[in-house]
Amino acid sequence: MNTVRTAAEENTGAQKVALVTGAGSGIGRAVTVELLAAGWSVALAGRRVETLEETAPQAPADGGTALPVRADVSRPEDVAALFDAVRDRFGRLDLLFNNAGTFGPGGVPVEELPYEAWRHVVDTNLNGAFLCAQAAYRQMKEQEPQGGRIINNGSISAHTPRPHSVAYTATKHALTGLTKSLSLDGRPYGIAVGQIDIGNAATDMTAGMQTGALQADGRTAPEPVMDVADVARTVRHMAELPLEANVQFATVMATAMPYVGRG
């Protein structure tokens, strides 16, 4: 039986501390498991605590400490409570992986997209990322030793859109601006900020791509995917660099996916 240490157990303080949003599935779950396996203490944030509690036991038994925290990153009060929980449990924060996000309703033309759907995507992907980054920035600036790292989960869509993806694409482009601005403002305090742009990692969100995805020319065609564990290893590499070094932007994608030359 897996016995990953829970938040109720003693943490010696020697481990690095990470917070992963959207940790209950997909990329967030894979990154959480990778960090726990590497000995990090990890706070897992998500809207459904039951999926968070399913994530931690997937790491090796001798991994780091896991702290599941229910939080909706689009709600300022949830974000405040989340960072209070991390501070109370671990005393500091070395890494925020700003991962929580949603694609929104798929395949809806822009002229038919309900405002409520647009607002939900913006609130989650952009406002949620800002709220978490702001809270992390405050904690990293105040803690001793000062500093830390923020990695924002962008997307291939931060560069090139898919058809009928206006809300998702707009937020991912905006996330790139957020990354650049945070990176600049964090320099005096040892806060390194980077972004990973991911294409076609095999998760529930991309499950339909192998059977057929809408292309820019109107065709529906299958697309290759890559193992989500390869994304997790890339995030870990970015996370474990010394703060004097930073991967500003990284693109990790299925090699043969339609991105270079898309359209």
Side-chain angles (χ1 to χ4, degrees):
M1 181 176 177
N2 197 309
T3 57
V4 172
R5 286 175 291 166
T6 66
E9 295 176 299
E10 182 63 26
N11 178 26
T12 65
Q15 295 172 314
K16 292 283 190 177
V17 178
L19 168 57
V20 178
T21 65
S25 63
I27 291 167
R29 171 171 284 179
V31 169
T32 297
V33 171
E34 179 73 18
L35 292 175
L36 285 170
W40 286 67
S41 295
V42 184
L44 300 72
R47 289 180 296 175
R48 296 172 54 206
V49 72
E50 60 270 23
T51 61
L52 301 176
E53 291 173 344
E54 292 169 359
T55 296
Q58 297 185 28
D62 58 350
T65 303
L67 172 67
V69 183
R70 196 215 67 80
D72 181 342
V73 299
S74 70
R75 298 171 60 87
E77 60 273 24
D78 280 20
V79 172
L82 168 63
F83 279 82
D84 284 346
V86 174
R87 185 183 299 107
D88 291 346
R89 179 63 188 90
F90 298 118
R92 65 175 291 108
L93 179 66
D94 298 291
L95 170 68
L96 165 65
F97 182 44
N98 236 342
N99 169 72
T102 180
F103 191 83
V108 178
V110 60
E111 69 274 17
E112 298 176 12
L113 183 69
Y115 174 73
E116 293 76 14
W118 164 273
R119 182 63 183 268
H120 175 65
V121 176
V122 172
D123 281 345
T124 303
N125 294 5
L126 181 57
N127 294 344
F130 164 74
L131 289 169
C132 289
Q134 183 183 54
Y137 188 99
R138 288 169 175 161
Q139 181 161 338
M140 291 171 178
K141 182 179 176 181
E142 295 170 359
Q143 66 193 8
E144 186 62 40
Q146 191 179 65
R149 190 179 304 275
I150 299 170
I151 300 174
N152 291 325
N153 185 353
S155 171
I156 295 292
S157 292
H159 307 275
T160 306
R162 287 186 176 275
H164 306 323
S165 67
V166 63
Y168 185 77
T169 296
T171 57
K172 293 304 183 178
H173 273 71
L175 198 63
T176 299
L178 180 68
T179 297
K180 291 179 178 180
S181 186
L182 289 170
S183 182
L184 178 61
D185 292 345
R187 287 178 181 175
Y189 311 106
I191 301 172
V193 185
Q195 180 170 315
I196 182 167
D197 296 325
I198 301 163
N200 287 19
T203 66
D204 291 343
M205 185 176 178
T206 61
M209 288 183 175
Q210 295 180 77
T211 56
L214 181 63
Q215 306 298 307
D217 62 2
R219 294 181 302 118
T220 298
E223 295 186 12
V225 298
M226 63 177 171
D227 191 335
V228 70
D230 294 323
V231 176
R233 283 190 287 269
T234 305
V235 173
R236 178 184 165 193
H237 168 71
M238 296 169 70
E240 293 185 339
L241 288 172
L243 291 178
E244 293 77 17
N246 186 41
V247 176
Q248 188 69 68
F249 291 97
T251 301
V252 184
M253 52 180 269
T255 303
M257 70 170 288
Y259 166 55
V260 178
R262 182 190 288 184

